[in-house]
């Protein structure tokens, strides 16, 4: 007997396809509350509190009666006095076991579309969306215990509708996508991605005027009713439609080649073939450098690919899947630290299973560990980076060496004043990449040198590297590069004390919106404005402990590109509070960077010459030795 529970609408249950009669709202409420718990035990006292605003006398007994009735309904053939197998008693409460819930099946269907071709995505989502019979937990709309789950499932359904539209657009079915999207934005007018998809579908259906009207409608609603401007993506789409940009069209020779090649791959390679995992990682690697949604999608699905490889029990495949994601990284704070830790753990497990002669795979795993350990205090990161570079040089593999050097760069923040060392790494990457056609690593080398020369106030050389990075990005369609070079231009104005610096920072922050790099963007604009002397910042993100300082327990800054900037904030606060002990700590930390500009090694902002700050520390410490 298979019991299936339905919550995508009113709460229901079926046994082998036959509806189960649930007596009364209290029985359904108990069942729904246990489903929300996802197999965890719900104490009887909590059930009482959730079922009644003011529990009546005998509420505990009533709950037990409801549970007994539910057990009879769910397992009518269970012999008397034998333990229940579905609705079980554990400790202080009850739990549902061996659950099959339509909402969970819907979630699995959504996750499975991540790497499927558009044809299969469309078919799978059409089937999954048909499972909905109304709002999730429809008969418990006012129950506080259901609120979070109802909201989560509602958001997942909206995302599925938009993914379905994306699949139709990818298949050239723009006209078919319009009616559903039109209804979607009418019901959910604050979803900017829905407006974007509707405008694109109209444009591809030959309705340019209607597409522009949709975007104007979206802008009016957002501005007049929410007081916010349309996102950069919506504004860019309007510009592209006005210009009839060629990239808005799904076809063309490139599109046809892609469609034909992917169709041939689907026919030739079995859906469960291990080769698909490696192919997926290759796609994710290319997707990551496109920025915005591409970077976020790559980050989301990369770990899933690694876990899938591990589940197959093939250590060599797992090592290849982990090591194949050699996406150049310039920012030293992880966008998702929890995921980074899981990737490091997976790489360590794969390392233990490698054979001694698998040196290239070992080097890639070590480089991955070095990259994903960025910003941490673990000694494993620097050790892995050095060993990866050593192995790559022995193997004389240029691409592998570039990957390993990226890992080494990420591990050069254990103290202040290491801009010259990073500059050398950048120079090696540029030379290596130019010789072997490794474009993305040449861009990385340029950005590393931009940062290092900024730290040393060598603006002429930094300008050269910024211009070279922009040229490479334009030639090879690498939009994320412009995020960093635009912030660098704002830094140039700030370092020269030019009046346009604040405006430049605000414009650069707009460019950063939706770029898919929360590790970079969180708190950055506020910090940049603070470097200009502005107190307007509210969202300090990860920098709050060093902006809103408690000198009695201020932590050492993370080992990243903001290391000197955070120490400069500590030093300033210590001077203002005349805290001799913290002033001594700050001076010791900053002394190796005496020839640098504090924070400029980020290529984003600066708090001025470190030498001036050390001089100020010396002055205040000498007054009160």
């Amino acid at each position: 007997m298979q019991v299936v529970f339905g919550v995508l609408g009113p709460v229901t249950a079926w046994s082998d396809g036959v509806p189960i009669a649930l007596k009364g709202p209290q029985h359904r409420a108990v069942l729904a509350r246990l489903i929300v718990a996802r197999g965890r035990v719900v104490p009887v006292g909590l059930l009482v509190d959730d079922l009644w605003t003011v529990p009546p006398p005998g509420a505990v007994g009533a709950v037990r009666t409801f549970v007994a009735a539910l057990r009879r309904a769910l397992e009518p053939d269970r012999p008397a006095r034998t333990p229940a197998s579905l609705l079980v008693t554990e400790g202080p409460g009850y739990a549902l076991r061996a659950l099959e819930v339509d909402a969970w099946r819907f979630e699995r269907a959504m996750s499975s579309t991540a790497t499927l071709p558009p044809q299969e995505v469309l078919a799978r989502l059409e089937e999954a969306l048909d499972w909905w019979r109304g709002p999730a937990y429809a008969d418990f709309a006012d129950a506080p215990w259901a609120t979070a789950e109802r909201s989560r499932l509602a958001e997942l359904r909206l995302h599925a509708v938009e993914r379905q539209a994306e699949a139709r657009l990818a298949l050239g079915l723009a006209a078919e996508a319009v009616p559903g999207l039109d209804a979607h934005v009418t019901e959910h007018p604050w979803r900017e991605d829905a407006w974007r998809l509707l405008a694109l579908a109209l444009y591809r259906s030959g309705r340019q005027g209607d597409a522009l009207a949709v975007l104007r409608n979206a802008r009016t609603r957002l501005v007049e009713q929410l007081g916010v401007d349309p996102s950069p993506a919506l504004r860019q789409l309007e510009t592209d439609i006005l210009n009839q940009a060629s990239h808005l069209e799904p076809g063309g020779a490139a599109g046809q080649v892609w469609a034909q090649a992917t169709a041939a791959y689907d026919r030739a390679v079995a859906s469960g073939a291990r080769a698909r995992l490696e192919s997926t990682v290759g796609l994710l690697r290319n997707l990551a450098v496109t920025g915005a949604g591409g970077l976020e999608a790559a980050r989301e699905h990369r770990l899933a690919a690694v876990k899938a490889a591990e589940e197959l029990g093939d250590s060599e495949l797992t090592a290849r899947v982990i090591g194949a994601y050699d996406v150049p990284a310039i920012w030293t704070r992880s966008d998702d630290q929890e995921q980074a830790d899981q990737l490091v753990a997976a790489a360590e497990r794969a390392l233990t299973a490698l054979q001694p002669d698998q040196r290239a795979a070992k080097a890639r795993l070590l480089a991955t560990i070095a990259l994903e350990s960025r910003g941490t205090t673990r000694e494993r990161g620097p050790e892995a980076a050095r060993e990866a570079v050593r192995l790559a040089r022995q193997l004389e593999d240029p691409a592998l060496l570039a990957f390993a050097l990226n890992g080494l760069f990420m591990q050069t923040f254990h103290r202040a004043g290491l801009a010259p060392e990073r500059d050398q790494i950048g120079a090696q990457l540029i030379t290596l990449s130019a010789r072997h056609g490794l474009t993305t690593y040449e861009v990385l080398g340029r950005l590393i040198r931009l940062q290092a020369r900024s730290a040393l106030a060598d603006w002429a050389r930094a300008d050269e590297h910024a211009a070279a990075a922009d040229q490479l990005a334009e030639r090879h369609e690498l939009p994320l590069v412009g995020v960093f070079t635009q912030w660098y231009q704002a830094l140039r104005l700030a370092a020269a004390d030019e009046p346009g610096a604040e405006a430049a920072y605000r414009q650069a922050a707009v460019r950063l919106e939706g770029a898919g790099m929360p590790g970079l963007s969180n708190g950055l604009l506020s910090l940049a404005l603070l470097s200009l002397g502005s107190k307007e910042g509210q969202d300090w993100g990860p920098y709050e402990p060093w902006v809103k300082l408690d000198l009695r327990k201020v932590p050492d800054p993370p080992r990243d590109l903001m290391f000197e900037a955070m120490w400069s904030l500590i030093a300033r606060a210590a001077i203002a509070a005349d805290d001799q002990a913290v002033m001594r700590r700050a001076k010791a930390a900053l002394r190796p960077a005496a020839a640098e500009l504090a924070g400029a090694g980020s290529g984003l902002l600066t708090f001025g010459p470190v030498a001036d700050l050390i001089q100020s520390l010396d002055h205040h410490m000498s007054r009160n030795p």
Side-chain angles (χ1 to χ4, degrees):
M1 179 186 72
Q2 183 185 30
V3 177
V4 178
F5 299 96
V7 297
L8 300 180
V11 174
T12 53
W14 298 270
S15 175
D16 291 334
V18 178
I20 296 174
L22 299 174
K23 299 179 180 179
Q26 295 93 345
H27 297 82
R28 286 196 300 276
V30 171
L31 178 60
R33 182 63 185 85
L34 294 173
I35 293 172
V36 167
R38 287 181 170 257
R40 296 185 297 273
V41 174
V42 181
V44 173
L46 184 56
L47 281 171
V48 168
D49 291 340
D50 286 341
L51 287 175
W52 292 280
T53 304
V54 179
V60 171
V63 167
R64 289 174 176 154
T65 299
F66 299 153
V67 168
L70 274 175
R71 282 174 170 160
R72 287 193 296 272
L74 296 176
E75 298 182 83
D77 299 328
R78 178 171 56 88
R81 291 183 293 279
T82 59
S85 60
L86 277 177
L87 204 172
V88 302
T89 302
E90 281 196 17
Y94 303 103
L96 280 170
R97 298 292 186 236
L99 280 160
E100 180 60 30
V101 181
D102 57 1
W104 302 356
R105 185 173 51 165
F106 183 78
E107 292 178 63
R108 291 195 298 270
M110 276 289 291
S111 298
S112 71
T113 65
T115 57
L116 293 177
Q119 298 96 324
E120 292 185 40
V121 170
L122 184 58
R124 193 158 299 188
L125 289 181
E126 285 180 343
E127 179 187 11
L129 286 166
D130 281 343
W131 299 334
W132 285 76
R133 297 163 288 110
Y137 296 90
D139 30 8
F140 301 102
D142 298 325
W145 49 265
T147 300
E149 185 67 358
R150 279 170 51 84
S151 297
R152 189 182 69 82
L153 290 170
E155 175 62 28
L156 193 64
R157 181 183 177 279
L158 296 179
H159 183 53
V161 171
E162 289 158 13
R163 287 274 290 123
Q164 181 186 49
E166 288 175 346
R168 287 195 173 114
L169 288 171
L171 293 168
L173 305 174
E176 292 183 21
V178 169
L181 284 169
D182 197 19
H184 185 54
V185 298
T186 300
E187 293 179 21
H188 309 283
W190 315 129
R191 295 185 71 83
E192 291 190 63
D193 206 39
W195 288 106
R196 179 186 65 80
L197 289 167
L198 176 57
L200 186 57
L202 287 165
Y203 179 79
R204 290 184 179 177
S205 302
R207 299 165 61 182
Q208 180 177 356
D210 290 339
L212 291 170
V214 160
L215 292 172
R216 284 194 294 271
N217 188 13
R219 183 191 305 107
T220 299
R221 286 173 176 265
L222 292 168
V223 172
E224 293 183 357
Q225 298 182 38
L226 292 184
V228 299
D229 291 326
S231 67
L234 275 183
R235 297 199 300 270
Q236 185 62 54
L237 178 58
E238 185 172 21
T239 300
D240 290 343
I241 288 176
L242 285 167
N243 295 329
Q244 297 184 348
S246 59
H247 70 264
L248 295 180
E249 297 296 340
Q256 292 174 9
V257 170
W258 173 265
Q260 292 166 1
T262 53
Y265 187 91
D266 285 335
R267 290 193 300 270
V269 183
S271 60
R274 302 184 179 198
R276 282 192 176 241
L277 273 179
E278 292 183 83
S279 299
T280 298
V281 176
L283 288 173
L284 295 179
R285 180 179 56 195
N286 293 333
L287 192 61
V289 299
T290 66
L295 178 58
E296 292 175 328
R299 189 162 55 239
E300 176 185 353
H301 301 307
R302 178 190 179 192
L303 184 60
V306 172
K307 289 181 177 178
E310 286 194 303
E311 287 176 5
L312 291 171
D314 186 331
S315 59
E316 290 186 29
L317 174 65
T318 301
R320 291 197 301 271
V321 167
I322 294 172
Y325 192 86
D326 52 356
V327 177
I330 184 64
W331 192 243
T332 47
R333 183 180 291 276
S334 176
D335 290 317
D336 185 337
Q337 190 58 55
E338 181 180 352
Q339 184 191 82
D341 292 341
Q342 292 184 62
L343 288 167
V344 168
E348 294 284 16
R349 289 192 294 270
L351 270 174
T352 62
L354 289 181
Q355 299 300 316
D357 61 341
Q358 294 177 296
R359 294 187 298 164
K362 180 179 180 181
R364 286 190 168 273
L365 291 172
L366 289 167
T368 300
I369 291 169
L371 276 162
E372 299 300 336
S373 299
R374 54 187 161 186
T376 69
T377 58
R378 305 172 194 145
E379 291 305 316
R380 175 59 167 158
E383 173 191 281
R386 291 190 294 269
E387 179 64 6
V389 170
R390 186 186 67 80
L391 286 171
R393 291 194 192 283
Q394 287 181 353
L395 293 166
E396 298 182 348
D397 183 332
L400 179 56
L401 179 55
F403 186 27
L405 286 171
N406 195 173
L408 186 63
F409 161 74
M410 287 296 179
Q411 297 299 328
T412 54
F413 298 90
H414 50 280
R415 65 169 176 83
L418 291 173
E421 184 174 328
R422 293 193 286 274
D423 193 41
Q424 292 178 7
I425 293 173
Q428 290 180 63
L429 278 169
I430 292 170
T431 301
L432 181 71
S433 302
R435 184 180 300 142
H436 297 283
L438 306 173
T439 303
T440 54
Y441 280 109
E442 184 176 354
V443 171
L444 175 65
R446 296 290 183 183
L447 293 179
I448 290 174
R449 297 208 69 189
L450 177 155
Q451 293 172 341
R453 302 323 296 181
S454 296
L456 300 169
D458 182 358
W459 301 115
R461 298 293 295 280
D463 286 346
E464 291 175 7
H465 292 300
D470 278 334
Q471 290 171 4
L472 287 165
E474 183 177 359
R475 191 183 315 145
H476 298 280
E477 297 181 343
L478 304 171
L480 286 180
V481 176
V483 172
F484 292 95
T485 54
Q486 186 170 350
W487 272 87
Y488 167 73
Q489 296 303 329
L491 165 62
R492 287 285 278 116
L493 293 173
D497 201 21
E498 295 285 345
E502 181 173 340
Y505 272 132
R506 293 188 184 278
Q507 291 171 5
V510 172
R511 177 75 175 269
L512 194 50
E513 290 176 9
M517 295 184 286
L520 172 65
S521 60
N522 288 348
L524 183 56
L525 178 59
S526 293
L527 194 65
L529 296 178
L530 179 64
S531 74
L532 299 177
S534 171
K535 301 294 185 181
E536 290 186 29
Q538 298 295 324
D539 176 17
W540 301 108
Y543 308 112
E544 185 166 334
W546 298 280
V547 176
K548 299 181 177 179
L549 280 169
D550 181 349
L551 289 173
R552 294 168 299 175
K553 52 184 180 182
V554 60
D556 284 354
R559 298 177 177 181
D560 60 24
L561 278 161
M562 291 296 189
F563 187 76
E564 291 90 346
M566 296 302 101
W567 270 115
S568 72
L569 294 178
I570 295 171
R572 291 180 178 190
I575 290 170
D578 196 27
D579 189 319
Q580 295 287 312
V582 177
M583 280 193 274
R584 286 193 292 272
R585 279 178 61 204
K587 179 183 175 181
L590 287 169
R591 186 186 294 116
E596 298 183 13
L597 296 177
S602 65
L604 308 173
L605 54 84
T606 180
F607 287 93
V610 173
D612 291 354
L613 193 53
I614 290 175
Q615 185 178 10
S616 183
L617 288 166
D618 286 337
H619 172 70
H620 285 81
M621 287 190 292
S622 65
R623 291 193 307 171
N624 299 292

